[in-house]
């Protein structure tokens, strides 16, 4: 729904072109690569349509999906929390600036990218969203969380979109088909230079199911996946 001449569209197109040419494209044969960027964008767009987001919010969350793992180096990111998310934002920001994307949109995009940090970032986003919906206490930003993510605590739409994006980030791994889940499991193991057993996948599925609030539509797929892994464990 966004005109191709809009600043955000121009910035996204420029980033996408560079990714297609291998710039910031992650690990070619691993998990964090252009295929993952695309799957997260499509999942975010699908969830945005289910949530009936307007064109500006939809474009914001899809663009955040495009850039959330920009220049990913394939590591776990465990050496410093939010290192990979901050790197992605640092690399994407010049494109947004050159396209004259307004400051409010940039601030929102940065918070969304930080919310894709799979543990503290996504957890904080859910806490903010629940509080702003009147379903939980105020979210407290811990010392390890970047101050920019605190924007979620005062903006219910931004918090809701952060939850949506965090779930779109993992939806291809647990919410589609068993074959696809296995493929992505193998790619992530290649990224991290390790091996995963069925118990690892079961733990991941159970954690995500307990935290999922937006993508309930995919629950039957997730339950079938869990049953398959539990049967073979």
């Amino acid at each position: 729904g966004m005109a191709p001449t809009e600043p955000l569209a121009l910035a996204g197109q420029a980033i996408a072109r560079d990714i297609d040419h291998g710039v910031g494209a992650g690990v070619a044969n691993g998990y964090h690569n252009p295929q993952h960027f695309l799957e997260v964008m499509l999942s975010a767009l699908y969830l945005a349509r289910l949530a009936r987001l307007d064109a500006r919010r939809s474009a914001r969350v899809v663009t955040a999906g495009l850039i959330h793992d920009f220049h990913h180096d394939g590591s776990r990111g465990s050496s410093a929390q939010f290192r990979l998310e901050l790197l992605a934002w640092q690399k994407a920001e010049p494109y947004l600036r050159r396209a004259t994307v307004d400051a409010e949109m940039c601030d929102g995009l940065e918070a969304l990218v930080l919310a894709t940090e799979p543990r503290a970032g996504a957890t904080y986003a859910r806490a903010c969203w629940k509080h702003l919906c009147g379903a939980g206490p105020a979210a407290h930003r811990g010392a390890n969380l970047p101050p920019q993510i605190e924007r979620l605590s005062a903006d219910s739409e931004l918090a809701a979109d952060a939850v949506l994006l965090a779930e779109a980030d993992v939806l291809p791994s647990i919410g589609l088909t068993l074959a696809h889940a296995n493929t992505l499991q193998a790619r992530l193991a290649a990224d991290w230079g390790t091996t995963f057993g069925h118990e690892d996948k079961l733990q991941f599925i159970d954690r995500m199911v307990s935290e999922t609030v937006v993508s309930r539509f995919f629950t039957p797929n997730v339950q079938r996946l869990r049953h398959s892994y539990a049967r073979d464990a």
Side-chain angles (χ1 to χ4, degrees), residues 127-152:
C128 290
W129 181 78
K130 288 179 180 178
H131 174 67
L132 293 169
C133 290
H140 296 289
R141 181 179 64 83
N144 293 330
L145 271 67
Q148 305 94 306
I149 202 171
E150 201 161 12
R151 294 170 185 138
L152 303 178

Side-chain angles (χ1 to χ4, degrees), residues 196-209:
F196 292 124
H198 284 78
E199 287 298 329
D200 297 301
K201 191 71 171 185
L202 281 170
Q203 289 176 12
F204 178 70
I205 293 169
D206 287 342
R207 178 168 68 84
M208 293 315 305
V209 167

